[in-house]
Amino acid sequence: MTLEELQAQCARVPFFRFIDFTITNADDDAIFASMEQSNRHIGNPVIGAFHGGITASFMEAIASVSVSRNWDILLPKPINLTIDYLRPALAGTLFTKATISKKGRRMASIETVAWQEDAKKPVAKGLFHFLLV
Amino acid sequence: MDQNDSTKARMAQIASVWNARALGLISEMDLKVEKAEAGGVEVRMPFNPDFCVDDEGTMLHGGILTALLDSAFGLANFLAIDNVATMATVDLRVEYLRPAQSRADVIVSAECYRQTRHVAFNSGRVWFDTPGLPEVARGFASFSIIRGETSMLDKLNTMGPGS
């Protein structure tokens, strides 16, 4: 699937349009995406930080895209998620990368990381399990 | 006003400031705080097609339930813990127990079931406001708590709309 096709598939999901991200790269191992902060993303207006739920939703969206792309399932069923919040995600752009940790027949385990200016200083990491059957 | 009434008034004040943010995801979710006590909160989120996985609006995306849990944990902590200057989610775990397939309002309940000087431990549940429908998600979180005299909510209170 090309980047344009992936993006078009995402545009069909209302909640993905609401969080509003762009898929920037997709190779065999990982999917990359970016999201510009807008008002509706803010969780802490005092410091203008992204809401933790938006950071989590962004990572979950890209994790599910990596599943759909590899297994050809439009909307894989999410089972659970764990988010490790490492730093505040401030105004600007949030980037994420989703990597497949385990590619089973029934389950997929996806690892994500999100960062801002410096990829070496992640703002959050995520672990997502999806049911494929 | 006896102590019970003044506590209730303080709780209502915290909940109202928390919910009346001038911008951000909390206002997009259009939340209504239905219970605000030190022992726990209940918050209602109306159905919103923007939060769905399909244009027909038959199922909510799990991500909005995660956001709802994270928000409710924050409110529960402001109510349960004295002198919170600010806080940050350290860790959040959500279990999606079944597909969120309904157009009913969503209810989230959240509590801070343990607090220490620096850390708050939270648990919460999410269900649709329809009798007989089982819960759709559970969540757990740990928050880092920064104590101080000036609360983040006081700052929000003086920011005003659009500032």
Side-chain angles (χ1 to χ4, degrees):
Chain A
M1 227 187 283
T2 66
L3 281 186
E4 289 71 26
E5 285 166 339
L6 277 178
Q7 192 72 49
Q9 208 174 68
C10 290
R12 289 163 61 187
V13 178
F15 187 62
F16 290 0
R17 296 197 295 268
F18 177 82
I19 51 181
D20 193 16
F21 55 80
T22 307
I23 297 179
T24 52
N25 198 8
D27 57 34
D28 287 345
D29 303 317
I31 302 227
F32 295 82
S34 66
M35 174 173 72
E36 299 294 330
Q37 192 186 71
S38 55
N39 279 352
R40 65 179 180 280
H41 292 144
I42 290 175
N44 178 338
V46 176
I47 59 169
F50 279 92
H51 193 288
I54 289 289
T55 305
S57 294
F58 177 41
M59 293 198 293
E60 180 176 338
I62 306 310
S64 78
V65 169
S66 76
V67 174
S68 349
R69 181 164 182 266
N70 280 272
W71 281 269
D72 203 26
I73 299 168
L74 188 56
L75 282 167
K77 297 169 192 141
I79 301 168
N80 60 35
L81 58 92
T82 308
I83 311 286
D84 183 11
Y85 292 102
L86 300 165
R87 292 180 178 81
L90 301 171
T93 312
L94 197 59
F95 300 96
T96 197
K97 173 190 181 185
T99 318
I100 297 169
S101 305
K102 170 76 197 295
K103 212 174 176 172
R105 277 183 296 132
R106 302 172 64 239
M107 305 263 187
S109 177
I110 315 291
E111 200 176 71
T112 62
V113 59
W115 68 93
Q116 296 197 282
E117 280 85 22
D118 185 353
K120 288 192 212 82
K121 291 184 176 168
V123 297
K125 291 186 175 187
L127 169 61
F128 300 85
H129 289 107
F130 292 94
L131 187 63
L132 306 173
V133 290
Chain B
M1 206 167 9
D2 68 24
Q3 200 187 0
N4 200 21
D5 283 345
S6 78
T7 306
K8 271 190 194 156
R10 190 177 70 85
M11 297 285 162
Q13 155 77 5
I14 292 173
S16 124
V17 173
W18 175 85
N19 202 16
R21 303 186 190 196
L23 48 82
L25 183 65
I26 304 253
S27 56
E28 293 285 332
M29 293 196 287
D30 192 20
L31 302 181
K32 286 162 192 69
V33 180
E34 304 215 318
K35 189 181 112 183
E37 294 167 9
V41 301
E42 247 178 59
V43 179
R44 175 183 295 268
M45 182 183 79
F47 175 78
N48 183 338
D50 288 345
F51 302 152
C52 286
V53 296
D54 54 344
D55 279 321
E56 294 71 35
T58 64
M59 185 158 77
L60 291 175
H61 191 275
I64 199 68
L65 305 183
T66 295
L68 188 58
L69 279 161
D70 189 36
S71 301
F73 290 153
L75 176 60
N77 289 339
F78 273 120
L79 294 170
I81 305 169
D82 291 331
N83 303 320
V84 177
T86 186
M87 67 176 88
T89 319
V90 172
D91 177 278
L92 176 65
R93 176 176 173 82
V94 178
E95 296 167 345
Y96 296 126
L97 304 175
R98 48 179 56 74
Q101 241 161 346
S102 170
R103 285 175 159 260
D105 290 359
V106 177
I107 315 281
V108 58
S109 78
E111 62 166 333
C112 168
Y113 63 90
R114 161 88 179 135
Q115 54 168 297
T116 69
R117 187 169 170 73
H118 302 288
V119 182
F121 298 92
N122 297 98
S123 76
R125 295 164 185 246
V126 176
W127 65 90
F128 286 108
D129 189 15
T130 306
L133 274 193
E135 61 182 38
V136 292
R138 273 196 201 194
F140 294 91
S142 312
F143 278 72
S144 164
I145 302 295
I146 315 293
R147 294 180 193 250
E149 289 309 312
T150 317
S151 160
M152 178 185 143
L153 289 179
D154 297 332
K155 286 181 196 156
L156 283 177
N157 208 10
T158 54
M159 280 170 77
S163 62

